[in-house]
Amino acid sequence: MKSSLRVILGFLKKEFAQTLRDPVMRLFLFGAPLLQLTIFGYAITTEFKNLKLAVLLQPDDSVMRELSGHFYNSGWFTRAEAEQGDPEKALYSGAADAVLIAPPGGLTKALGRGNAGLQLLIDASNATKARIVEAYASSIVQKYAASRFPAREPGPGLSFNVRILYNPSLETSYFMVPGVMTMIIALITVMLTGMSMAREKEMGTFETIISAPLKNSEIVLGKTIPFVVLGMADALLVIAAGLLIFKVPIVGNLFVIFAASFIFVCTAVSAGLLISTFARTQQQAMMGTFLFIFPANLMSGIMFPIENMPLLLRAVAYINPIKYYASLLRNNMLKGSYPVVVLPDLAVLTLMLLVIVFITIRRFRRTLN
Amino acid sequence: MKRNFVLHRALAIAKKEVMHIMRDPFTLGLAVVVPLIMVLFFGFAIDFDFRGIKVAVYDQDNSRLSRELVRSFSASEYFKTFAGASAGAPAKEIEEGKATISMVINSGFEREIFSSRNSQAQIIVDGTDNQKTGVVAAYLGGIQRAFSSKLSGSPASDPIKITARFIYNPELNTKWFIVPGLIVIVTGLLSILLTALTVAREWENGSMEMLLSTPVTPFEIVLGKILPYVGLGLTGIVFVYIVARLAFSVPFRGSYLALGAACFLFITTSLAQGLLISVITRQQQKAMQASMVVGLLPPLLLSGFIFPIESMPLFFRYLTMVLPPRWFTAIIRTLFLKGTPFEGLVIPFIALALMAVIFIAAASKRFKRDLEP
């Protein structure tokens, strides 16, 4: 037992030395995640702002002018130009995202005759954006009409008193940072383990390890523990950055977050090792890593909703460990550690870890013997 | 010693590379089959139209109108209603993840409406997912407007009515916008990986050193290495294009010449980027790390694929300009959906061409430094 410990410590020392002595590797391991987290956290918003709106109106149309002022002062729209005769041209050339067109003869006159209709041309080449533009525009027009024609406002009506929980100001970084953290930790850990093993195989140093008088379990642990330690260091670094730089709240239990991170890092390391057992060259390991990490990141619910996927693809998303870690991080940070929410995710993640470790050890044994 | 660029030397290297590719199913698969599968797979998977959002309903009024309101939720394909089980704590359903929305209709809801006052329903929304919350808010607005106009009799009573016309994608099909974006992400990352890995391997096994000892110039090597992969990448794009048109019926309204030119520029830029990475790192492991750092998350998150560039803080809006996928996304979406002629796309084209030149020059220069110490 004592000698096993020494063997594993030996591995630990060797892997650390090999990985950390290289400044480029240090940069990839610690610099890149921090930089990426910071950039993505600051840059990304899910809100649409600075939408380019052109308004077509007659110079003497005072109501329309006032209404267009409400559009530009809403903070969502910026000014753009469009031609009176060919409003679609501005959309075509990309000069505007939407063109608001007054009724023929002007809005002022049309209102004098009764109800008036405005037309809004929206560039729908980005469907999400188009839908948002329409929602913004209807709410501005409705609000304007209600304030200008209070007498004509119909009597009974319904309004929703909406309260948004956990992230009331819809701060995008609260939502993005846990997601980006998940993707970065997964990417680095799987890649590091998979490529490092494949490299030893390709260079033949793995043969040396096999021929050394070591137990299989010692080799497996010796090749995984260093990467778990490195992965955890990265996870802690990224979590700390999320807290310090973006002030993402941790409503839940910090211990649960650590436990989840540990289980997830172990899972990712095993996945990397598993990929490397299938690969004879680094190129194949790279292919395997890419084929795992790219879909796993996209199917994790971080950027794209899982619940909208067709059933078969949803099944794929549900066997993705990244999905559970992302949901654990998000829930623990923003909602809190309610056992009903956290325990199922933790249980599934642990189960996945066990399954992957089991398969990896079986595959590994075949490689060794 | 001054050596001039000789095309046939570059072509000789290209020829050798072609033979290499033909023998290697790995590279062929990576360049042609993987993009096809990925675009198909994610094209089906990604959908921003939330359907069946779970609504826990606490109807304490249980009147004709309150039931009507609940029905206007359940009748819409966007919502799925169920009776909330924890009276007094409507947020509990959300805490436990059983619902995205909790709606409380207080007793007296109908009475208030009949006494011609404005009546309220309380809505609690789970804010952990911003994207979903944003969409939910838009859906709620629609329901509120429809219900209000139903109450007041006729929708025509709005003094000012706004009618939206969606140009280029009248049915707001999200696939039309996702699939062209996917093409960019997938081909970009794969192109970087292709050259980064193949060339890093040659550094590792020493064959690059050998090549350098011949009279071939670095620029010839760079061109010779990139050209065959450009061909491979363009072949991949043809397949992906067919998938976009046939599987997702995305229209194509632009010119094929412009599309071909843009694909050529983008693939060349990405390949040159991969080559530069491999020249700098010279090790497959590091080349892989660098390629993934550069090629995976920044294009996904910063190229306008999903998250709007125009909403970013000014500094980051400028920062996105150094990403080739940002420009290619702009071009390819315009060509597919709008069909704007070439003149409208001059800036993205110039940006891509500029980056291609910069990356190729940088890669050649890095070679040179080792060649002539």
Side-chain angles (χ1 to χ4, degrees):
Chain A
M1 195 59 223
K2 196 126 196 192
S3 71
S4 282
L5 198 67
R6 240 189 42 230
V7 168
I8 291 167
L9 275 177
F11 268 108
L12 207 63
K13 231 195 257 163
K14 176 245 159 197
E15 294 294 346
F16 280 164
Q18 197 173 41
T19 316
L20 296 177
R21 72 171 165 223
D22 188 339
V24 179
M25 276 313 260
R26 285 203 299 266
L27 191 72
F28 288 143
L29 272 184
F30 303 112
L34 271 187
L35 185 69
Q36 292 209 319
L37 184 73
T38 313
I39 293 180
F40 299 146
Y42 277 119
I44 297 168
T45 53
T46 48
E47 193 194 3
F48 283 88
K49 277 186 293 195
N50 302 326
L51 299 157
K52 290 174 281 179
L53 175 80
V55 179
L56 291 182
L57 46 72
Q58 311 297 323
D60 59 341
D61 193 345
S62 56
V63 181
M64 190 66 193
R65 191 167 301 281
E66 197 182 34
L67 177 61
S68 73
H70 282 255
F71 270 89
Y72 293 128
N73 292 331
S74 65
W76 291 319
F77 296 100
T78 59
R79 271 169 213 281
E81 297 297 326
E83 276 172 49
Q84 199 67 249
D86 186 5
E88 270 189 47
K89 201 174 159 201
L91 302 184
Y92 191 60
S93 68
D97 295 316
V99 184
L100 184 65
I101 305 170
L107 183 62
T108 319
K109 280 191 198 127
L111 280 171
R113 288 194 299 267
N115 292 346
L118 298 171
Q119 221 191 24
L120 183 67
L121 301 185
I122 305 174
D123 174 354
S125 56
N126 180 338
T128 318
K129 185 157 131 187
R131 187 168 285 145
I132 300 283
V133 169
E134 191 205 11
Y136 285 166
S138 336
S139 86
I140 291 172
V141 168
Q142 205 185 27
K143 229 180 260 168
Y144 176 74
S147 72
R148 199 180 156 88
F149 308 100
R152 291 169 67 169
E153 168 81 336
L158 166 78
S159 64
F160 287 133
N161 177 7
V162 179
R163 189 155 62 96
I164 296 172
L165 298 181
Y166 314 124
N167 186 4
S169 55
L170 289 179
E171 186 70 53
T172 316
S173 62
Y174 289 6
F175 150 78
M176 264 332 277
V177 167
V180 171
M181 276 164 43
T182 312
M183 292 198 280
I184 290 178
I185 296 170
L187 180 65
I188 296 224
T189 322
V190 173
M191 203 160 52
L192 192 67
T193 320
M195 291 298 283
S196 142
M197 265 298 289
R199 179 148 191 249
E200 295 227 23
K201 271 196 196 169
E202 201 174 297
M203 301 186 105
T205 47
F206 193 61
E207 302 286 316
T208 324
I209 298 176
I210 294 176
S211 54
L214 296 173
K215 285 189 222 124
N216 286 352
S217 59
E218 288 170 354
I219 300 181
V220 173
L221 285 177
K223 289 304 289 179
T224 47
I225 290 176
F227 297 112
V228 171
V229 174
L230 284 175
M232 273 312 277
D234 240 330
L236 293 183
L237 180 78
V238 171
I239 291 174
L243 295 184
L244 294 177
I245 302 175
F246 293 103
K247 311 271 183 297
V248 179
I250 291 201
V251 182
N253 191 329
L254 204 59
F255 177 74
V256 177
I257 292 180
F258 287 149
S261 302
F262 181 70
I263 299 173
F264 178 69
V265 166
C266 290
T267 314
V269 167
S270 315
L273 207 60
L274 182 61
I275 290 169
S276 74
T277 62
F278 286 98
R280 262 174 295 113
T281 62
Q282 290 186 71
Q283 252 188 1
Q284 288 168 352
M286 187 284 315
M287 176 95 153
T289 308
F290 169 77
L291 287 179
F292 169 69
I293 210 78
F294 187 68
N297 267 343
L298 262 62
M299 304 287 280
S300 61
I302 295 171
M303 279 175 292
F304 314 111
I306 291 173
E307 61 254 57
N308 299 348
M309 293 177 186
L311 193 65
L312 190 70
L313 300 181
R314 218 181 316 153
V316 176
Y318 275 101
I319 54 166
N320 177 8
I322 299 184
K323 173 200 176 287
Y324 295 94
Y325 184 53
S327 134
L328 274 167
L329 269 188
R330 227 175 237 173
N331 282 332
N332 268 298
M333 288 180 138
L334 301 179
K335 265 190 183 176
S337 308
Y338 298 97
V340 250
V341 182
V342 171
L343 286 181
D345 280 349
L346 268 182
V348 176
L349 202 56
T350 316
L351 188 70
M352 283 182 174
L353 173 63
L354 295 178
V355 171
I356 295 182
V357 166
F358 178 72
I359 302 173
T360 312
I361 289 178
R362 287 197 54 171
R363 290 274 326 168
F364 212 72
R365 217 174 265 152
R366 199 177 309 162
T367 325
L368 290 179
N369 301 331
Chain B
M1 185 176 74
K2 177 116 174 84
R3 287 178 299 187
N4 293 320
F5 172 68
V6 183
L7 186 64
H8 76 81
R9 283 205 294 250
L11 287 180
I13 292 176
K15 204 168 139 198
K16 176 240 144 198
E17 204 64 35
V18 168
M19 281 160 68
H20 211 85
I21 294 169
M22 299 308 277
R23 270 206 314 258
D24 185 7
F26 164 84
T27 316
L28 271 176
L30 199 58
V32 180
V33 183
V34 172
L36 188 79
I37 295 171
M38 294 263 169
V39 170
L40 202 58
F41 185 85
F42 294 117
F44 280 114
I46 300 172
D47 193 343
F48 284 106
D49 294 330
F50 288 87
R51 279 178 212 94
I53 295 166
K54 282 176 263 171
V55 186
V57 176
Y58 295 89
D59 183 357
Q60 288 155 359
D61 195 38
N62 201 12
S63 56
R64 191 181 62 80
L65 278 183
S66 72
R67 282 192 299 268
E68 181 113 352
L69 176 60
V70 175
R71 219 173 3 254
S72 59
F73 273 89
S74 55
S76 132
E77 56 170 339
Y78 300 130
F79 296 104
K80 210 156 97 191
T81 55
F82 66 97
S86 38
K92 195 150 181 274
E93 244 83 23
I94 296 176
E95 272 164 20
E96 297 179 353
K98 288 181 190 141
T100 307
I101 298 179
S102 268
M103 176 165 69
V104 183
I105 307 174
N106 288 327
S107 57
F109 175 78
E110 191 179 54
R111 198 159 13 97
E112 265 178 66
I113 288 186
F114 281 139
S115 62
S116 201
R117 266 181 296 158
N118 206 6
S119 193
Q120 276 194 343
Q122 259 87 45
I123 300 248
I124 308 171
V125 186
D126 183 345
T128 41
D129 184 334
N130 279 30
Q131 274 172 324
K132 200 166 170 179
T133 315
V135 175
V136 164
Y139 291 165
L140 284 177
I143 286 201
Q144 182 243 329
R145 276 194 291 275
F147 194 78
S148 287
S149 66
K150 209 190 280 174
L151 284 178
S152 58
S154 65
S157 62
D158 288 340
I160 305 177
K161 224 182 118 195
I162 185 161
T163 323
R165 237 182 74 209
F166 298 104
I167 319 277
Y168 309 123
N169 184 0
E171 277 156 35
L172 294 184
N173 184 344
T174 25
K175 304 286 178 203
W176 287 14
F177 141 78
I178 291 293
V179 172
L182 265 177
I183 296 179
V184 178
I185 306 288
V186 173
T187 28
L189 179 54
L190 282 172
S191 303
I192 294 180
L193 285 176
L194 267 181
T195 37
L197 269 287
T198 45
V199 180
R201 183 157 78 168
E202 298 195 21
W203 283 109
E204 240 169 54
N205 65 24
S207 57
M208 195 56 91
E209 306 281 324
M210 223 148 76
L211 200 56
L212 284 174
S213 61
T214 62
V216 192
T217 65
F219 183 55
E220 287 160 8
I221 300 181
V222 170
L223 272 196
K225 288 277 166 199
I226 286 182
L227 278 177
Y229 291 105
V230 170
L232 208 55
L234 286 175
T235 317
I237 291 248
V238 171
F239 284 107
V240 171
Y241 170 83
I242 294 172
V243 165
R245 295 299 310 274
L246 295 185
F248 300 106
S249 33
V250 185
F252 185 81
R253 301 184 175 127
S255 89
Y256 285 106
L257 189 69
L259 180 68
C263 291
F264 173 77
L265 281 179
F266 177 63
I267 291 177
T268 309
T269 313
S270 306
L271 290 171
Q273 215 175 340
L275 198 68
L276 180 63
I277 288 175
S278 75
V279 176
I280 294 174
T281 57
R282 307 214 165 175
Q283 244 187 41
Q284 292 183 72
Q285 195 185 354
K286 281 192 242 165
M288 167 82 185
Q289 301 259 7
S291 310
M292 284 301 237
V293 164
V294 172
L296 181 62
L297 295 183
L300 265 180
L301 302 175
L302 298 181
S303 69
F305 174 45
I306 301 170
F307 301 110
I309 292 177
E310 60 264 55
S311 312
M312 293 177 185
L314 194 64
F315 170 75
F316 294 100
R317 247 181 287 161
Y318 285 118
L319 192 71
T320 61
M321 292 182 180
V322 303
L323 296 173
R326 174 215 198 274
W327 300 108
F328 190 47
T329 306
I331 296 176
I332 204 166
R333 277 209 181 124
T334 309
L335 287 180
F336 265 98
L337 297 181
K338 285 193 187 174
T340 311
F342 181 74
E343 299 88 77
L345 294 168
V346 172
I347 295 175
F349 266 98
I350 291 179
L352 273 186
L354 204 66
M355 274 186 263
V357 171
I358 290 176
F359 283 129
I360 289 178
S364 311
K365 202 162 172 294
R366 277 301 289 229
F367 261 110
K368 212 171 261 175
R369 206 159 74 202
D370 305 283
L371 201 60
E372 293 151 0

